[in-house]
């Protein structure tokens, strides 16, 4: 179809030319002589104004040109007399692809609540807000691949279905073809997964890290970027049951190299959004969060505070703050603690390292003190934890000992342990929650509003 995208028309449309644009009608207003239609085609947040001289268009032609209709319009591009746009289109002909009945089309007016829009997730991309969020989401995904490619990382596709339950990151979803009402049973009355599709109990992965480690120990630097699944019943504005995670894994990196990479990477992504999504960010800044762009710039310009978990606990204890969850050495930090450190105490992102080993995963490198591991969490304003990672335990004996202590079967993990048996080297990595990044960059308040079709407890309709 011979059309010009509205983004191109607004940027370099030449007045005096005849063009065809296609899109969806956002609004129609005017009087009996003239009609103004705002047309959007998703290529950019701004609409193209189309002017209809009603002496040339009869009522029958104009009737289906209503909010939501999908149309093609040919006309003459002219400099605009009105405020707010440089050019507008004087319509010469209009073709209706699909009508949108004004009595039933749900997006008639502006200003629907985000809650309502969640209930029409199939249509909400047609709003300014979700158009902006989805374009920013795309730009961040692109920037992730660009960054890693330019830094010599290889994109590795790790499996989504897995038989290993060893990450310990949370409850997993089972993948099965067995008849739920009538499964085959073993002699002692348990479900017999030997009869299932994979011949063993299988689940959706919570992380691609363990497989990424195998890749890093061959290719040097790899990253994953794919969907991950957690079946925790956490109904918070920062948790999804299905979310996307970016997990770089690097051989010959210690925890300091790991922190340096995490900081450089996330700043690069935010800078990329500032440079490439300015119109969408300006809209979100105006509509939702007047400090958004300011906050993004502050993060890019700051150097992240790095400190030990133990020091953070001292700061929290002597803060004089009453937290909902009390703080003591050994406790897992809640987002109220993380946000206090970032927003109140330091006023910039914080990287915490050397967490108690008892609250962290088996694969983290143990420190000599016998109490802590070389973990790192990157904490962000408004979000709390945005990245979790660590240097990995490369010592076979220590790894095996930790597996035993945590009751993880070595049999199940033989392939992982093998990498410490053959040519083990120091290595590190981390996981960035993609939706938490998009949440931060867009300034939205709820993670359900930064993924097209959120998966949360009791919600997977579309
Ligand atoms: O801290 P997590 O659980 O770390 C891992 O899974 C490691 N395997 C990562 C690694 O070292 N390669 O998760 C990493 C990040 C968190 O910091 C958070 O941003 C995000 O993933 N995340 C979630 N995002 C949305 N919904 C959830 N339920 C999330 N759980 C974790
Ligand atoms: Mg974590």
């Amino acid at each position: 179809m011979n059309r010009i995208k509205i983004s191109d028309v607004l940027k370099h449309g030449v007045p005096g030319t005849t063009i065809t644009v296609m899109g969806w009608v956002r609004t129609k207003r005017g009087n009996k002589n003239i009609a103004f239609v705002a047309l959007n085609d998703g290529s950019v947040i701004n609409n193209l104004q189309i002017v209809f001289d009603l002496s040339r268009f009869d009522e029958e032609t104009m009737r289906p040109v209503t909010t939501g209709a999908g149309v093609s319009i040919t006309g003459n591009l002219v400099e605009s007399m009105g405020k707010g746009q440089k050019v507008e289109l004087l319509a010469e002909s209009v073709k209706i692809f699909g009508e949108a009945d004004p009595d039933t089309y749900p997006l008639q007016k502006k200003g629907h609540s985000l809650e309502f829009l969640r209930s029409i997730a199939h249509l909400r991309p047609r709003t300014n807000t979700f158009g902006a969020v989805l374009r920013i989401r795309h730009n961040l995904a692109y920037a992730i691949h660009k960054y890693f490619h330019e830094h010599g990382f290889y994109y590795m596709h790790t499996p989504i279905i897995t038989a290993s339950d060893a990450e310990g990151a949370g409850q997993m979803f089972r993948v099965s073809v067995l008849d739920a009402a009538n499964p085959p049973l073993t002699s002692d009355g348990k479900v017999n997964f030997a009869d299932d599709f994979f011949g063993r109990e299988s689940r959706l992965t919570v992380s691609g890290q363990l497989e990424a480690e195998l890749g890093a120990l061959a290719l040097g630097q790899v990253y994953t970027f794919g969907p991950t699944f957690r079946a925790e019943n956490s109904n918070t504005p920062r948790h999804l049951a299905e979310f996307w995670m970016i997990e770089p894994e690097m051989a010959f990196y210690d925890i300091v190299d790991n922190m340096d990479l995490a900081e450089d990477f996330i700043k690069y992504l935010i800078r990329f959004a500032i440079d490439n999504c300015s119109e969408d960010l300006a809209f979100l800044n105006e509509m939702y969060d007047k400090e958004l762009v300011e906050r993004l710039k502050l993060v890019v310009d700051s150097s992240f505070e790095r400190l030990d978990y133990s020091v953070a606990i001292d700061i929290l204890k002597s803060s004089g703050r009453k937290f909902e969850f009390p703080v003591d050495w050994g406790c897992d930090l809640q987002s109220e603690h993380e946000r206090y450190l970032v927003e109140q105490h330091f006023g910039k992102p914080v990287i915490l390292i050397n967490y108690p080993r008892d609250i962290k995963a088996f694969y983290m490198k143990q420190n000599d003190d016998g109490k802590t591991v070389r973990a790192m969490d990157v904490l962000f304003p408004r979000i709390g934890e945005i990245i979790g990672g660590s240097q990995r335990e490369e010592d076979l004996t220590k790894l095996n000992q930790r597996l035993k202590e945590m009751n993880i079967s070595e049999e199940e993990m033989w392939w992982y342990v093998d990498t410490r048996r053959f040519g083990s080297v120091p290595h590190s990595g981390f996981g960035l929650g993609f939706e938490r990044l998009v949440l931060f960059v867009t300034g939205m308040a709820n993670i359900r509003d930064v993924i097209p079709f959120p998966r949360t407890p009791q919600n997977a309709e579309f």
Side-chain angles (χ1 to χ4, degrees):
M1 291 188 170
N2 199 359
R3 63 129 179 172
I4 302 183
K5 282 197 215 137
I6 290 175
S7 55
D8 291 333
V9 177
L10 295 178
K11 231 185 262 160
H12 17 250
V14 181
T17 51
T18 298
I19 59 166
T20 298
V21 289
M22 299 179 188
W24 295 269
V25 173
R26 279 293 170 78
T27 56
K28 183 169 80 174
R29 60 189 175 81
N31 52 41
K32 60 182 189 334
N33 302 320
I34 195 162
F36 297 100
V37 164
L39 193 73
N40 190 281
D41 68 359
S43 60
V44 63
I45 191 147
N46 297 311
N47 304 321
L48 178 64
Q49 171 152 291
I50 321 266
V51 185
F52 287 85
D53 174 353
L54 293 183
S55 64
R56 301 180 55 187
F57 292 89
D58 59 23
E59 222 179 300
E60 195 45 33
T61 311
M62 291 308 289
R63 188 197 46 79
V65 182
T66 58
T67 298
V71 300
S72 170
I73 297 168
T74 301
N76 189 13
L77 197 66
V78 296
E79 273 173 43
S80 176
M81 308 293 234
K83 274 198 295 203
Q85 66 267 329
K86 279 217 306 267
V87 289
E88 60 193 20
L89 194 67
L90 298 182
E92 281 158 13
S93 66
V94 53
K95 181 173 172 227
I96 309 293
F97 289 126
E99 298 186 22
D101 182 350
D103 290 335
T104 49
Y105 181 58
L107 292 171
Q108 271 319 311
K109 55 179 177 53
K110 289 182 177 176
H112 288 296
S113 74
L114 294 170
E115 287 80 5
F116 170 71
L117 293 177
R118 270 173 230 148
S119 74
I120 51 164
H122 60 306
L123 292 174
R124 69 177 182 170
R126 295 196 198 175
T127 62
N128 283 334
T129 299
F130 285 89
V133 167
L134 292 177
R135 279 185 295 269
I136 292 171
R137 187 178 163 107
H138 159 79
N139 273 276
L140 289 169
Y142 171 71
I144 286 161
H145 290 300
K146 183 167 152 63
Y147 179 91
F148 284 131
H149 183 72
E150 287 170 0
H151 286 76
F153 284 67
Y154 301 108
Y155 182 23
M156 183 161 161
H157 297 99
T158 50
I160 286 171
I161 300 173
T162 173
S164 98
D165 179 19
E167 161 81 11
Q171 290 290 315
M172 300 175 86
F173 293 99
R174 180 173 294 145
V175 177
S176 175
V177 295
L178 297 180
D179 179 355
N182 188 21
L185 299 178
T186 58
S187 52
D188 51 357
K190 296 204 171 106
V191 175
N192 187 5
F193 287 105
D195 285 352
D196 206 343
F197 190 91
F198 298 107
R200 55 176 72 223
E201 197 172 358
S202 310
R203 299 183 173 91
L204 294 179
T205 189
V206 295
S207 155
Q209 176 198 326
L210 302 189
E211 293 88 352
E213 282 189 55
L214 315 182
L217 295 175
L219 296 166
Q221 306 183 132
V222 300
Y223 70 104
T224 72
F225 184 1
T228 50
F229 307 86
R230 298 192 184 178
E232 297 126 297
N233 203 359
S234 26
N235 247 318
T236 82
R238 279 179 301 276
H239 287 87
L240 290 164
E242 175 181 290
F243 64 100
W244 288 63
M245 191 166 22
I246 302 98
E247 295 182 277
E249 197 67 37
M250 299 74 63
F252 319 113
Y253 264 53
D254 64 17
I255 188 72
V256 177
D257 302 323
N258 206 23
M259 286 192 280
D260 290 345
L261 179 73
E263 182 168 344
D264 187 59
F265 174 53
I266 206 162
K267 283 178 174 171
Y268 173 89
L269 300 179
I270 297 169
R271 205 177 300 119
F272 189 90
I274 293 173
D275 293 345
N276 293 278
C277 308
S278 54
E279 290 175 344
D280 288 324
L281 285 173
F283 170 81
L284 295 170
N285 194 88
E286 177 63 27
M287 295 297 292
Y288 291 99
D289 181 353
K290 294 274 193 293
E291 284 151 29
L292 174 62
V293 175
E294 194 73 8
R295 189 181 314 112
L296 299 184
K297 288 186 175 149
L298 188 110
V299 165
V300 166
D301 292 338
S302 66
S303 103
F304 297 3
E305 191 72 30
R306 302 177 180 194
L307 73 156
D308 264 39
Y309 165 92
S310 303
V311 178
I313 292 292
D314 291 342
I315 292 172
L316 291 167
K317 284 174 91 166
S318 55
S319 67
R321 261 288 185 102
K322 238 187 129 42
F323 294 109
E324 191 189 337
F325 295 88
V327 194
D328 235 324
W329 200 94
C331 77
D332 213 351
L333 294 185
Q334 304 293 327
S335 82
E336 55 169 342
H337 308 132
E338 296 172 338
R339 292 184 59 179
Y340 174 84
L341 292 169
V342 172
E343 291 165 18
Q344 315 290 322
H345 193 82
F346 291 108
K348 58 178 173 172
V350 172
I351 310 183
L352 287 190
I353 54 168
N354 297 327
Y355 280 73
R357 62 178 219 159
D358 291 341
I359 57 169
K360 289 291 185 187
F362 74 93
Y363 50 69
M364 296 193 177
K365 185 171 177 61
Q366 299 169 50
N367 283 319
D368 292 339
D369 63 10
K371 291 194 313 194
T372 59
V373 286
R374 229 161 271 181
M376 67 170 214
D377 277 7
V378 180
L379 314 179
F380 256 45
R382 294 182 82 241
I383 306 290
E385 179 190 340
I386 195 163
I387 284 178
S390 76
Q391 188 169 338
R392 316 306 190 192
E393 183 57 80
E394 82 267 25
D395 183 293
L396 177 64
T397 315
K398 287 187 183 162
L399 182 66
N400 270 328
Q401 189 193 325
R402 198 74 191 116
L403 285 170
K404 203 169 276 159
E405 282 167 10
M406 297 179 78
N407 276 323
I408 301 168
S409 105
E410 282 172 56
E411 225 168 276
E412 190 190 310
M413 295 298 294
W414 67 272
W415 49 272
Y416 182 81
V417 177
D418 243 16
T419 56
R420 278 46 171 186
R421 193 168 281 123
F422 307 120
S424 186
V425 300
H427 63 289
S428 299
F430 60 81
L432 166 67
F434 187 49
E435 285 74 19
R436 295 214 182 154
L437 173 72
V438 183
L439 199 54
F440 179 73
V441 172
T442 58
M444 301 302 282
N446 194 313
I447 200 162
R448 292 167 180 78
D449 298 330
V450 299
I451 186 166
F453 303 100
R455 297 289 175 257
T456 50
Q458 303 299 314
N459 177 30
E461 187 180 0
F462 39 34

